[in-house]
Amino acid sequence: MRVADLGENNLIQRLSSLTKHAGRSVDFGNSDPLLLGPGDDAAVYRADAGIFLATTDTAVEGVHFTRDSICWQDLGWKVMACNLSDIAAMGGVPLHALVTLGLPMDTEINDIDELYAGMIESSNAYLFTIAGGDVVHSNNFFISIALIGHSNGTLLKRSEAEVGDLLAVTGHLGSSSAGLRILNQRKDQFASDSQTSLHTQRVPGFATITLKARSFLINAHRRPTPRLSDGHTLLKHGVKAAMDISDGLLLDLTKMMTSSGTMARIESWKVPIHPHTLRTFPADALMMSLTGGEDYHLLFSASPQVMEQTLVNIPQATIIGTVVDGPPGHVSVVDKQNKEFSLDYLGWEHFRS
Amino acid sequence: MRVADLGENNLIQRLSSLTKHAGRSVDFGNSDPLLLGPGDDAAVYRADAGIFLATTDTAVEGVHFTRDSICWQDLGWKVMACNLSDIAAMGGVPLHALVTLGLPMDTEINDIDELYAGMIESSNAYLFTIAGGDVVHSNNFFISIALIGHSNGTLLKRSEAEVGDLLAVTGHLGSSSAGLRILNQRKDQFASDSQTSLHTQRVPGFATITLKARSFLINAHRRPTPRLSDGHTLLKHGVKAAMDISDGLLLDLTKMMTSSGTMARIESWKVPIHPHTLRTFPADALMMSLTGGEDYHLLFSASPQVMEQTLVNIPQATIIGTVVDGPPGHVSVVDKQNKEFSLDYLGWEHFRS
């Protein structure tokens, strides 16, 4: 069945009933903060006085994803993870999501159900509700999410990095980028297969990936983990400056340094890269870790004392450099001999604009 | 200059500075509820304890509008008005908007500036802030807005209509639909002009529209007024059931009756139609008022006593029918002889799904 067969109102009713209990594994009873979900002109929720967060993130078919590279359920999970990652990067907790779907009339209802399965999985994992949204016709598919969150009053900001701070990330970078590369190579391989033999290995190195590495990296691309609890740990130990890495370390670090009026010095050999990435793409792993997006780890900055305490509590986090005095927004990457990398070489220019 | 020339980050910075003071004509000083606008991972705002509203509405080029029928500034105003109308229909006040743009790379920056001029005009008129958003690439243009609002605790709901209530609307219906018809006729005329003479009047009746009627109706289509103060007046006088008319009276009334488990009986001659609509489209005016969307007036239901008090305070509002016992969601339209209209005849079927 397709959208055109079901009709917009029936589709909205279907989605309302799908999401009714999502993110409510706790029995709120009369204290359910969501007073009115989908079905009226607006979602209605109750909140205590405090600080609230609002973010939005969108995925457009053909621009941010293709049906070759991700299934509908993973897409639902991933778009929600992008939004949750923004809330994590402020140190908040998610409360309510609004979901807007732009749908071609021939979209299969089954596909939309799977997309929602991924979002509902996310809402049950991170305990927020899907409070409403909108369904509109569009020639190409898109999904846009607005997410409201709560903060306990202290915030992780991009503008709070200070000269003398250490810079760290909450985990391996480049895994998502490596996963996407594998998916694209597979596609190229399929394309060439159709013209040559099924067993031709036209893409160098592809045959040497173990199944385990392959599934780990593809999973990193399709099912990123929003670092909500890491965000809370950062706040708890006094970290003030953080953001999530969605567009790649160098680009996002540039934003943080611009916002803080400082410069960063990254020690390239300290950037954490997963062994699967290193072994699968030995030549490109460093570039992937520096410029590859969508890992959704948190990048943060703190004084050496605060950093020490924090790293004890986030064991997988790693120091990668320092905040130094210099041109605001400048990022310098050096090797073990303290020689500066040419960032053009690293593909940096492609990501600048 | 185009999006591709300016780059995404520069565009986001441009939009941030454009919207910085929007909706803040009151000098909030230290009590500004928006603690952090665009530029970090999420917008941050302070709120007292209470009831909050969240809604979202999207316009896709080629589906919801064309560049022939609306200019960018009016589009910015109108998309914001759709969202504000949802807040009005709950009896709330708007607080903060997140704006997502889906942009082809060849979009002119001037056009985006004008789009924002329309949204900023709206934010200054209705005192909400543009707190953040997202800019993404897309093959066809779309704009999606999420709007957060506040309620004083009592709400206007779709589900509260009761048998015996009177039904009313806050103003003329069908004006937007008539304006769109004029715009489409003009397009047809241009299309035929290019093949015949510039002075040919191919579309019957088009020549007889006065300039004043023309501009009134086109304006109704392009620059709808969200009925925020009417929403507050409804609440103040004890109205409990309301919604905004975005998809047309019959379709929206069907939703309200379904939600309330009641049936509606509309007296066709009471549906308020502006004289400009009646004179310009004498044969179609009734159909336009019953099924034409985008007038963004409020539809409400109340007991005769409550209705009487309310109408004194919203003089332009008009009673159009009653809530009766019957199949939930059913809407019956009768003429002065109490003869039921065939809704198929009115083009109703086109709007059902």
Side-chain angles (χ1 to χ4, degrees), chain A residues 246-272:
Chain A
S246 53
D247 294 337
L249 175 63
L250 293 189
L251 186 55
D252 288 326
L253 186 53
T254 299
K255 288 178 194 166
M256 188 193 245
M257 293 300 105
T258 303
S259 187
S260 295
T262 51
M263 172 182 158
R265 189 175 169 281
I266 298 298
E267 294 166 311
S268 64
W269 69 97
K270 292 187 175 170
V271 176

PDB file of all heavy atoms in Angstrom, chain A residues 246-272:
ATOM      1  N   SER A 246      29.436  16.354  14.056  1.00  0.00           N
ATOM      2  CA  SER A 246      28.543  15.850  13.018  1.00  0.00           C
ATOM      3  C   SER A 246      29.135  16.076  11.630  1.00  0.00           C
ATOM      4  O   SER A 246      28.933  15.276  10.727  1.00  0.00           O
ATOM      5  CB  SER A 246      27.170  16.510  13.126  1.00  0.00           C
ATOM      6  OG  SER A 246      27.295  17.914  13.143  1.00  0.00           O
ATOM      7  N   ASP A 247      29.888  17.153  11.459  1.00  0.00           N
ATOM      8  CA  ASP A 247      30.422  17.485  10.128  1.00  0.00           C
ATOM      9  C   ASP A 247      31.894  17.108   9.974  1.00  0.00           C
ATOM     10  O   ASP A 247      32.506  17.408   8.939  1.00  0.00           O
ATOM     11  CB  ASP A 247      30.269  18.991   9.873  1.00  0.00           C
ATOM     12  CG  ASP A 247      28.802  19.410   9.782  1.00  0.00           C
ATOM     13  OD1 ASP A 247      27.961  18.541   9.476  1.00  0.00           O
ATOM     14  OD2 ASP A 247      28.504  20.579  10.034  1.00  0.00           O
ATOM     15  N   GLY A 248      32.483  16.494  10.968  1.00  0.00           N
ATOM     16  CA  GLY A 248      33.901  16.147  10.929  1.00  0.00           C
ATOM     17  C   GLY A 248      34.669  16.967  11.956  1.00  0.00           C
ATOM     18  O   GLY A 248      34.347  18.122  12.207  1.00  0.00           O
ATOM     19  N   LEU A 249      35.710  16.353  12.545  1.00  0.00           N
ATOM     20  CA  LEU A 249      36.464  16.995  13.624  1.00  0.00           C
ATOM     21  C   LEU A 249      36.967  18.388  13.239  1.00  0.00           C
ATOM     22  O   LEU A 249      36.777  19.353  13.979  1.00  0.00           O
ATOM     23  CB  LEU A 249      37.658  16.111  14.033  1.00  0.00           C
ATOM     24  CG  LEU A 249      38.600  16.722  15.071  1.00  0.00           C
ATOM     25  CD1 LEU A 249      37.884  16.975  16.390  1.00  0.00           C
ATOM     26  CD2 LEU A 249      39.821  15.827  15.293  1.00  0.00           C
ATOM     27  N   LEU A 250      37.640  18.512  12.088  1.00  0.00           N
ATOM     28  CA  LEU A 250      38.273  19.798  11.762  1.00  0.00           C
ATOM     29  C   LEU A 250      37.242  20.903  11.568  1.00  0.00           C
ATOM     30  O   LEU A 250      37.417  22.020  12.058  1.00  0.00           O
ATOM     31  CB  LEU A 250      39.140  19.663  10.512  1.00  0.00           C
ATOM     32  CG  LEU A 250      40.369  18.767  10.678  1.00  0.00           C
ATOM     33  CD1 LEU A 250      41.265  18.878   9.454  1.00  0.00           C
ATOM     34  CD2 LEU A 250      41.147  19.129  11.937  1.00  0.00           C
ATOM     35  N   LEU A 251      36.180  20.589  10.866  1.00  0.00           N
ATOM     36  CA  LEU A 251      35.166  21.611  10.611  1.00  0.00           C
ATOM     37  C   LEU A 251      34.474  22.007  11.918  1.00  0.00           C
ATOM     38  O   LEU A 251      34.271  23.197  12.199  1.00  0.00           O
ATOM     39  CB  LEU A 251      34.151  21.080   9.595  1.00  0.00           C
ATOM     40  CG  LEU A 251      33.109  22.074   9.101  1.00  0.00           C
ATOM     41  CD1 LEU A 251      33.763  23.329   8.532  1.00  0.00           C
ATOM     42  CD2 LEU A 251      32.231  21.433   8.030  1.00  0.00           C
ATOM     43  N   ASP A 252      34.123  21.016  12.719  1.00  0.00           N
ATOM     44  CA  ASP A 252      33.413  21.327  13.965  1.00  0.00           C
ATOM     45  C   ASP A 252      34.339  22.015  14.976  1.00  0.00           C
ATOM     46  O   ASP A 252      33.924  22.928  15.682  1.00  0.00           O
ATOM     47  CB  ASP A 252      32.779  20.054  14.540  1.00  0.00           C
ATOM     48  CG  ASP A 252      31.569  19.603  13.706  1.00  0.00           C
ATOM     49  OD1 ASP A 252      30.871  20.494  13.175  1.00  0.00           O
ATOM     50  OD2 ASP A 252      31.330  18.389  13.594  1.00  0.00           O
ATOM     51  N   LEU A 253      35.590  21.592  15.012  1.00  0.00           N
ATOM     52  CA  LEU A 253      36.561  22.249  15.897  1.00  0.00           C
ATOM     53  C   LEU A 253      36.765  23.712  15.482  1.00  0.00           C
ATOM     54  O   LEU A 253      36.895  24.606  16.326  1.00  0.00           O
ATOM     55  CB  LEU A 253      37.887  21.484  15.860  1.00  0.00           C
ATOM     56  CG  LEU A 253      38.992  21.939  16.819  1.00  0.00           C
ATOM     57  CD1 LEU A 253      38.517  22.018  18.260  1.00  0.00           C
ATOM     58  CD2 LEU A 253      40.203  21.007  16.714  1.00  0.00           C
ATOM     59  N   THR A 254      36.789  23.955  14.176  1.00  0.00           N
ATOM     60  CA  THR A 254      36.894  25.333  13.678  1.00  0.00           C
ATOM     61  C   THR A 254      35.736  26.185  14.206  1.00  0.00           C
ATOM     62  O   THR A 254      35.917  27.321  14.645  1.00  0.00           O
ATOM     63  CB  THR A 254      36.880  25.341  12.133  1.00  0.00           C
ATOM     64  OG1 THR A 254      37.999  24.586  11.670  1.00  0.00           O
ATOM     65  CG2 THR A 254      36.961  26.751  11.581  1.00  0.00           C
ATOM     66  N   LYS A 255      34.545  25.594  14.179  1.00  0.00           N
ATOM     67  CA  LYS A 255      33.373  26.324  14.696  1.00  0.00           C
ATOM     68  C   LYS A 255      33.537  26.640  16.179  1.00  0.00           C
ATOM     69  O   LYS A 255      33.238  27.740  16.639  1.00  0.00           O
ATOM     70  CB  LYS A 255      32.098  25.493  14.500  1.00  0.00           C
ATOM     71  CG  LYS A 255      31.643  25.393  13.059  1.00  0.00           C
ATOM     72  CD  LYS A 255      30.394  24.509  12.969  1.00  0.00           C
ATOM     73  CE  LYS A 255      30.120  24.104  11.527  1.00  0.00           C
ATOM     74  NZ  LYS A 255      29.139  23.010  11.448  1.00  0.00           N
ATOM     75  N   MET A 256      34.001  25.645  16.946  1.00  0.00           N
ATOM     76  CA  MET A 256      34.154  25.850  18.384  1.00  0.00           C
ATOM     77  C   MET A 256      35.216  26.919  18.668  1.00  0.00           C
ATOM     78  O   MET A 256      35.025  27.798  19.509  1.00  0.00           O
ATOM     79  CB  MET A 256      34.539  24.531  19.065  1.00  0.00           C
ATOM     80  CG  MET A 256      34.533  24.620  20.582  1.00  0.00           C
ATOM     81  SD  MET A 256      35.343  23.165  21.296  1.00  0.00           S
ATOM     82  CE  MET A 256      33.985  22.428  22.134  1.00  0.00           C
ATOM     83  N   MET A 257      36.323  26.856  17.941  1.00  0.00           N
ATOM     84  CA  MET A 257      37.406  27.821  18.164  1.00  0.00           C
ATOM     85  C   MET A 257      36.969  29.231  17.737  1.00  0.00           C
ATOM     86  O   MET A 257      37.292  30.219  18.386  1.00  0.00           O
ATOM     87  CB  MET A 257      38.663  27.395  17.399  1.00  0.00           C
ATOM     88  CG  MET A 257      39.309  26.110  17.929  1.00  0.00           C
ATOM     89  SD  MET A 257      39.843  26.219  19.665  1.00  0.00           S
ATOM     90  CE  MET A 257      38.562  25.243  20.477  1.00  0.00           C
ATOM     91  N   THR A 258      36.207  29.314  16.644  1.00  0.00           N
ATOM     92  CA  THR A 258      35.686  30.617  16.201  1.00  0.00           C
ATOM     93  C   THR A 258      34.778  31.188  17.282  1.00  0.00           C
ATOM     94  O   THR A 258      34.878  32.356  17.667  1.00  0.00           O
ATOM     95  CB  THR A 258      34.883  30.448  14.888  1.00  0.00           C
ATOM     96  OG1 THR A 258      35.735  29.839  13.921  1.00  0.00           O
ATOM     97  CG2 THR A 258      34.387  31.787  14.367  1.00  0.00           C
ATOM     98  N   SER A 259      33.915  30.349  17.787  1.00  0.00           N
ATOM     99  CA  SER A 259      32.949  30.774  18.795  1.00  0.00           C
ATOM    100  C   SER A 259      33.650  31.186  20.094  1.00  0.00           C
ATOM    101  O   SER A 259      33.203  32.106  20.787  1.00  0.00           O
ATOM    102  CB  SER A 259      31.980  29.616  19.027  1.00  0.00           C
ATOM    103  OG  SER A 259      30.931  29.987  19.850  1.00  0.00           O
ATOM    104  N   SER A 260      34.775  30.524  20.422  1.00  0.00           N
ATOM    105  CA  SER A 260      35.503  30.814  21.665  1.00  0.00           C
ATOM    106  C   SER A 260      36.582  31.886  21.468  1.00  0.00           C
ATOM    107  O   SER A 260      37.182  32.343  22.440  1.00  0.00           O
ATOM    108  CB  SER A 260      36.167  29.531  22.198  1.00  0.00           C
ATOM    109  OG  SER A 260      35.188  28.584  22.568  1.00  0.00           O
ATOM    110  N   GLY A 261      36.853  32.256  20.213  1.00  0.00           N
ATOM    111  CA  GLY A 261      37.910  33.241  19.940  1.00  0.00           C
ATOM    112  C   GLY A 261      39.307  32.693  20.209  1.00  0.00           C
ATOM    113  O   GLY A 261      40.223  33.429  20.573  1.00  0.00           O
ATOM    114  N   THR A 262      39.483  31.406  20.030  1.00  0.00           N
ATOM    115  CA  THR A 262      40.768  30.753  20.312  1.00  0.00           C
ATOM    116  C   THR A 262      41.221  29.923  19.105  1.00  0.00           C
ATOM    117  O   THR A 262      40.509  29.802  18.109  1.00  0.00           O
ATOM    118  CB  THR A 262      40.638  29.803  21.527  1.00  0.00           C
ATOM    119  OG1 THR A 262      39.516  28.951  21.299  1.00  0.00           O
ATOM    120  CG2 THR A 262      40.418  30.581  22.816  1.00  0.00           C
ATOM    121  N   MET A 263      42.428  29.331  19.242  1.00  0.00           N
ATOM    122  CA  MET A 263      42.981  28.475  18.189  1.00  0.00           C
ATOM    123  C   MET A 263      43.227  27.080  18.787  1.00  0.00           C
ATOM    124  O   MET A 263      43.437  26.948  19.999  1.00  0.00           O
ATOM    125  CB  MET A 263      44.294  29.089  17.706  1.00  0.00           C
ATOM    126  CG  MET A 263      45.078  28.217  16.752  1.00  0.00           C
ATOM    127  SD  MET A 263      46.668  28.971  16.265  1.00  0.00           S
ATOM    128  CE  MET A 263      47.534  27.473  15.771  1.00  0.00           C
ATOM    129  N   ALA A 264      43.190  26.045  17.936  1.00  0.00           N
ATOM    130  CA  ALA A 264      43.413  24.680  18.425  1.00  0.00           C
ATOM    131  C   ALA A 264      44.656  24.070  17.782  1.00  0.00           C
ATOM    132  O   ALA A 264      44.969  24.353  16.619  1.00  0.00           O
ATOM    133  CB  ALA A 264      42.197  23.803  18.125  1.00  0.00           C
ATOM    134  N   ARG A 265      45.349  23.256  18.548  1.00  0.00           N
ATOM    135  CA  ARG A 265      46.493  22.514  18.041  1.00  0.00           C
ATOM    136  C   ARG A 265      46.212  21.036  18.294  1.00  0.00           C
ATOM    137  O   ARG A 265      46.094  20.592  19.443  1.00  0.00           O
ATOM    138  CB  ARG A 265      47.749  22.968  18.803  1.00  0.00           C
ATOM    139  CG  ARG A 265      49.056  22.445  18.245  1.00  0.00           C
ATOM    140  CD  ARG A 265      50.213  23.059  18.999  1.00  0.00           C
ATOM    141  NE  ARG A 265      51.461  22.393  18.673  1.00  0.00           N
ATOM    142  CZ  ARG A 265      51.847  21.216  19.194  1.00  0.00           C
ATOM    143  NH1 ARG A 265      51.079  20.608  20.072  1.00  0.00           N
ATOM    144  NH2 ARG A 265      53.000  20.683  18.823  1.00  0.00           N
ATOM    145  N   ILE A 266      46.064  20.295  17.185  1.00  0.00           N
ATOM    146  CA  ILE A 266      45.714  18.868  17.288  1.00  0.00           C
ATOM    147  C   ILE A 266      46.961  18.033  17.031  1.00  0.00           C
ATOM    148  O   ILE A 266      47.686  18.258  16.054  1.00  0.00           O
ATOM    149  CB  ILE A 266      44.630  18.510  16.238  1.00  0.00           C
ATOM    150  CG1 ILE A 266      43.344  19.307  16.497  1.00  0.00           C
ATOM    151  CG2 ILE A 266      44.332  17.008  16.241  1.00  0.00           C
ATOM    152  CD1 ILE A 266      42.706  19.035  17.830  1.00  0.00           C
ATOM    153  N   GLU A 267      47.218  17.062  17.903  1.00  0.00           N
ATOM    154  CA  GLU A 267      48.323  16.120  17.703  1.00  0.00           C
ATOM    155  C   GLU A 267      47.756  14.903  16.982  1.00  0.00           C
ATOM    156  O   GLU A 267      47.048  14.081  17.579  1.00  0.00           O
ATOM    157  CB  GLU A 267      48.966  15.794  19.045  1.00  0.00           C
ATOM    158  CG  GLU A 267      49.636  17.049  19.619  1.00  0.00           C
ATOM    159  CD  GLU A 267      50.006  16.950  21.087  1.00  0.00           C
ATOM    160  OE1 GLU A 267      49.140  16.547  21.895  1.00  0.00           O
ATOM    161  OE2 GLU A 267      51.152  17.280  21.423  1.00  0.00           O
ATOM    162  N   SER A 268      48.108  14.804  15.698  1.00  0.00           N
ATOM    163  CA  SER A 268      47.401  13.875  14.811  1.00  0.00           C
ATOM    164  C   SER A 268      47.414  12.432  15.314  1.00  0.00           C
ATOM    165  O   SER A 268      46.423  11.716  15.187  1.00  0.00           O
ATOM    166  CB  SER A 268      48.011  13.931  13.410  1.00  0.00           C
ATOM    167  OG  SER A 268      49.351  13.470  13.464  1.00  0.00           O
ATOM    168  N   TRP A 269      48.545  12.005  15.902  1.00  0.00           N
ATOM    169  CA  TRP A 269      48.647  10.604  16.306  1.00  0.00           C
ATOM    170  C   TRP A 269      47.790  10.270  17.536  1.00  0.00           C
ATOM    171  O   TRP A 269      47.611   9.120  17.895  1.00  0.00           O
ATOM    172  CB  TRP A 269      50.117  10.230  16.568  1.00  0.00           C
ATOM    173  CG  TRP A 269      50.689  10.899  17.803  1.00  0.00           C
ATOM    174  CD1 TRP A 269      50.794  10.360  19.050  1.00  0.00           C
ATOM    175  CD2 TRP A 269      51.186  12.232  17.902  1.00  0.00           C
ATOM    176  NE1 TRP A 269      51.333  11.258  19.926  1.00  0.00           N
ATOM    177  CE2 TRP A 269      51.583  12.417  19.242  1.00  0.00           C
ATOM    178  CE3 TRP A 269      51.347  13.286  17.000  1.00  0.00           C
ATOM    179  CZ2 TRP A 269      52.131  13.614  19.693  1.00  0.00           C
ATOM    180  CZ3 TRP A 269      51.885  14.472  17.456  1.00  0.00           C
ATOM    181  CH2 TRP A 269      52.275  14.630  18.782  1.00  0.00           C
ATOM    182  N   LYS A 270      47.244  11.321  18.153  1.00  0.00           N
ATOM    183  CA  LYS A 270      46.380  11.079  19.318  1.00  0.00           C
ATOM    184  C   LYS A 270      44.906  10.927  18.958  1.00  0.00           C
ATOM    185  O   LYS A 270      44.105  10.500  19.791  1.00  0.00           O
ATOM    186  CB  LYS A 270      46.525  12.233  20.317  1.00  0.00           C
ATOM    187  CG  LYS A 270      47.902  12.291  20.977  1.00  0.00           C
ATOM    188  CD  LYS A 270      47.939  13.337  22.074  1.00  0.00           C
ATOM    189  CE  LYS A 270      49.278  13.305  22.818  1.00  0.00           C
ATOM    190  NZ  LYS A 270      49.413  14.474  23.727  1.00  0.00           N
ATOM    191  N   VAL A 271      44.552  11.307  17.734  1.00  0.00           N
ATOM    192  CA  VAL A 271      43.128  11.208  17.345  1.00  0.00           C
ATOM    193  C   VAL A 271      42.741   9.733  17.314  1.00  0.00           C
ATOM    194  O   VAL A 271      43.347   8.937  16.584  1.00  0.00           O
ATOM    195  CB  VAL A 271      42.885  11.872  15.968  1.00  0.00           C
ATOM    196  CG1 VAL A 271      41.445  11.676  15.519  1.00  0.00           C
ATOM    197  CG2 VAL A 271      43.226  13.366  16.030  1.00  0.00           C
ATOM    198  N   PRO A 272      41.753   9.335  18.116  1.00  0.00           N
ATOM    199  CA  PRO A 272      41.439   7.905  18.239  1.00  0.00           C
ATOM    200  C   PRO A 272      40.743   7.350  16.993  1.00  0.00           C
ATOM    201  O   PRO A 272      39.724   7.873  16.552  1.00  0.00           O
ATOM    202  CB  PRO A 272      40.505   7.852  19.445  1.00  0.00           C
ATOM    203  CG  PRO A 272      39.887   9.212  19.523  1.00  0.00           C
ATOM    204  CD  PRO A 272      40.877  10.181  18.975  1.00  0.00           C
TER     205      PRO A 272
END
